[in-house]
Amino acid sequence: MNKITDKRKDCFYMIKQLHDNIEKNANNLLKKYDLTMMQLGALMRLNKDGGGECTLKEFEKLLHLAQSTTAGIVKRLEQKKFVECFGDSLDKRIKKVRITAEGIKLCSIAAVDMEHAAKKYTKGISKEELNTFVNVIIKLCENADS
């Protein structure tokens, strides 16, 4: 195997290691809110990208998750009073999910915690390096989706 192939393998291994480390640290930080990184991520996507309310089907697409996984996340967030579920007024077959005031408040608090965590991970990295990294990650994600 040549050095370029070895570096690619190492790169994807390092991305996995970084993800695992970020998830572990985030989950430890989120214990005080009785949340996981996945639940908070879903809540923040609903708040920001979902406009605070959307159908369960739209939420699945927003999260890029299966229906069963999304339903489980929504159920746990609903039990914790961060979201509420209800039927569409015109079509009761359509289930909708809406972030609550408590969920919005949590997103604001968590955003501050996430900013502190991001500073830890980007310490010693210039703005140019970070921009390059972000652009490469975007391309990797686009390639993964194609």
Side-chain angles (χ1 to χ4, degrees):
M1 209 175 282
N2 66 35
K3 287 186 178 191
I4 292 175
T5 304
D6 287 344
K7 285 186 179 185
R8 278 193 196 133
K9 279 180 134 179
D10 289 345
C11 177
F12 288 110
Y13 175 77
M14 287 184 282
I15 290 170
K16 171 75 169 109
Q17 292 296 105
L18 180 60
H19 171 270
D20 291 350
N21 184 270
I22 289 168
E23 186 171 44
K24 178 183 159 199
N25 287 328
N27 285 333
N28 285 333
L29 185 66
L30 292 169
K31 279 182 184 176
K32 61 186 171 189
Y33 306 117
D34 189 29
L35 282 177
T36 64
M37 184 174 146
M38 179 66 85
Q39 292 167 353
L40 178 64
L43 193 62
M44 293 184 93
R45 291 295 301 264
L46 177 62
N47 189 41
K48 182 181 174 206
D49 300 331
E53 179 182 314
C54 61
T55 67
L56 196 53
K57 190 57 103 180
E58 290 167 340
F59 201 34
E60 290 168 28
K61 290 178 184 173
L62 195 62
L63 298 176
H64 301 282
L65 294 173
Q67 185 275 332
S68 58
T69 305
T70 303
I73 291 169
V74 168
K75 180 180 176 185
R76 287 184 286 286
L77 290 173
E78 187 175 29
Q79 289 169 344
K80 296 170 188 185
K81 309 285 189 227
F82 295 128
V83 300
E84 57 189 6
C85 295
F86 57 98
D88 185 87
S89 61
L90 300 176
D91 187 344
K92 296 296 180 195
R93 295 172 297 175
I94 298 174
K95 187 173 183 181
K96 290 186 146 189
V97 60
R98 174 189 307 135
I99 192 166
T100 63
E102 193 65 28
I104 292 169
K105 179 180 170 186
L106 180 66
C107 285
S108 296
I109 294 167
V112 173
D113 288 343
M114 290 172 59
E115 184 64 33
H116 291 317
K119 285 181 182 177
K120 170 191 169 188
Y121 285 99
T122 58
K123 180 176 54 180
I125 299 174
S126 72
K127 286 185 179 183
E128 294 81 19
E129 289 171 321
L130 191 56
N131 285 336
T132 299
F133 176 74
V134 169
N135 288 333
V136 169
I137 293 294
I138 289 169
K139 287 179 183 177
L140 288 169
C141 290
E142 288 170 350
N143 289 343
D145 287 340
S146 63

